[in-house]
Amino acid sequence: MVGGLIHQVLRRKLQSHSAVPALSWFTSRKVNEDAGTAGMRTVALLGAGVSGLLGFATIASADEAEHGLEVPNYPWPHSGILSSYDHASIRRGHQVYQQVCASCHSMSLISYRDLVGVAYTEEETKAMAAEIEVVDGPNDEGEMFTRPGKLSDRFPQPYANEQAARFANGGAYPPDLSLITKARHNGQNYVFALLTGYRDPPAGVTIRDGLHYNPYFPGGAIAMPKMLIDGAVEYEDGIPATEAQMGKDVVTFLSWAAEPEMEERKLMGFKWIFVLSLALLQAAYYRRLRWSVLKSRRLVVDVVN
């Protein structure tokens, strides 16, 4: 019996001594695993951050390649809520278009009568339209004929067709400018930056023959040469025809061509806001002074009598 008791005591001592190193080994292993997991998480977070930065840079590069260099925002005088077009600038811009742009670019959606009351009088516009010749017909003999232009005629086309336009411009097709400020990213700002953004290519950039460097054009190489040069146009009102002034005027003219109804739309919106404000005041009056009396009444039901 005594031998059995001694055997049990020795076995308990051995188990207690062997459990301590096993427990310490398990604890150290768990600590090492936690440290490894934390390290992997840190590496994963760093990788996600680097991937995000690279993705953002890739998107920015793709956007620059698609739209060109980001253009600044210019304070156009007609961009306000209640602002209207500068009609003197529209007239000067039309003069720039006629003398600089019309030799290559068409405006097929604009008629001469659209200029009446906007930039010219009716007599001035009729005289301007009469300077062009329009192919019309057929006549009574079934033949086409030419006649002087009239107010209902559209602006003349510089080329007979797209193939002739490409042949005359080295394969490039000059776009129609009727809606150009609506058809391009950032509209007015882009057109102005493009017209005034010609410069020498930076070091390491090679532009092939027939193209010109412009960072605001997608790809940086454009077939159209620099057209706005100081003094290229002599304004009728005597304003100096600088490059920036001509760019501002022609963009104002193109903005009007894309949105000729802007002033009327803003005026109509102001009228509707005024009418709806009166309706809101009337509704508030009836809500506060008429319905409040009925809604705050206390009804007592006498169920006994």
Side-chain angles (χ1 to χ4, degrees), residues 225-281:
K226 180 180 177 65
M227 301 300 298
L228 299 184
I229 303 173
D230 293 345
V233 175
E234 185 177 354
Y235 283 141
E236 300 173 350
D237 53 6
I239 292 182
T242 62
E243 178 185 359
Q245 182 66 48
M246 289 187 292
K248 181 255 185 183
D249 292 335
V250 74
V251 171
T252 302
F253 169 70
L254 295 176
S255 300
W256 165 82
E259 286 187 290
E261 79 290 344
M262 186 199 72
E263 295 176 336
E264 183 178 354
R265 186 178 68 247
K266 287 184 177 180
L267 182 60
M268 185 60 65
F270 178 78
K271 291 179 179 178
W272 274 105
I273 291 175
F274 178 73
V275 171
L276 292 176
S277 300
L278 295 180
L280 179 62
L281 292 176

Side-chain angles (χ1 to χ4, degrees), residues 6 39 71-72 86 89 96 128 144 150 172 174 189 200 221 247 260 272 276 281:
I6 294 174
V71 301
D86 182 356
S89 182
V96 174
M128 188 187 310
M144 305 298 290
K150 52 186 179 181
N189 296 320
D200 294 331
W272 274 105
L276 292 176
L281 292 176

Side-chain angles (χ1 to χ4, degrees), residues 59-279:
I59 293 174
S61 299
D63 184 74
E64 183 175 345
E66 180 181 358
H67 302 298
L69 186 66
E70 183 179 359
V71 301
N73 292 319
Y74 300 101
W76 298 102
H78 54 268
S79 60
I81 298 177
L82 299 179
S83 302
S84 61
Y85 287 119
D86 182 356
H87 290 258
S89 182
I90 293 177
R91 179 168 180 143
R92 293 193 299 268
H94 176 257
Q95 184 179 352
V96 174
Y97 167 76
Q98 273 193 318
Q99 300 182 19
V100 178
C101 310
S103 59
C104 296
H105 295 274
S106 62
M107 296 190 71
S108 59
L109 301 181
I110 306 299
S111 302
Y112 283 97
R113 61 187 173 191
D114 297 329
L115 298 173
V116 177
V118 176
Y120 301 94
T121 63
E122 184 175 355
E123 291 73 17
E124 289 175 328
T125 311
K126 285 183 177 179
M128 188 187 310
E131 295 176 357
I132 65 171
E133 291 186 350
V134 179
V135 177
D136 203 349
N139 56 16
D140 296 338
E141 299 177 356
E143 297 179 354
M144 305 298 290
F145 61 93
T146 59
R147 59 167 177 80
K150 52 186 179 181
L151 292 179
S152 59
D153 292 326
R154 301 288 179 90
F155 284 4
Q157 303 284 336
Y159 302 104
N161 48 57
E162 180 178 346
Q163 288 73 17
R166 291 186 180 277
F167 178 78
N169 292 276
Y173 181 58
D176 187 273
L177 300 183
S178 301
L179 302 174
I180 194 66
T181 57
K182 291 296 182 183
R184 293 296 183 268
H185 180 69
N186 206 3
Q188 305 171 96
N189 296 320
Y190 167 76
V191 176
F192 181 84
L194 182 70
L195 292 175
T196 59
Y198 287 89
R199 61 196 65 177
D200 294 331
V205 177
T206 303
I207 304 298
R208 67 180 178 86
D209 295 338
L211 299 181
H212 308 272
Y213 179 72
N214 192 317
Y216 298 106
F217 188 76
I222 185 173
M224 181 179 70
K226 180 180 177 65
M227 301 300 298
L228 299 184
I229 303 173
D230 293 345
V233 175
E234 185 177 354
Y235 283 141
E236 300 173 350
D237 53 6
I239 292 182
T242 62
E243 178 185 359
Q245 182 66 48
M246 289 187 292
K248 181 255 185 183
D249 292 335
V250 74
V251 171
T252 302
F253 169 70
L254 295 176
S255 300
W256 165 82
E259 286 187 290
E261 79 290 344
M262 186 199 72
E263 295 176 336
E264 183 178 354
R265 186 178 68 247
K266 287 184 177 180
L267 182 60
M268 185 60 65
F270 178 78
K271 291 179 179 178
W272 274 105
I273 291 175
F274 178 73
V275 171
L276 292 176
S277 300
L278 295 180

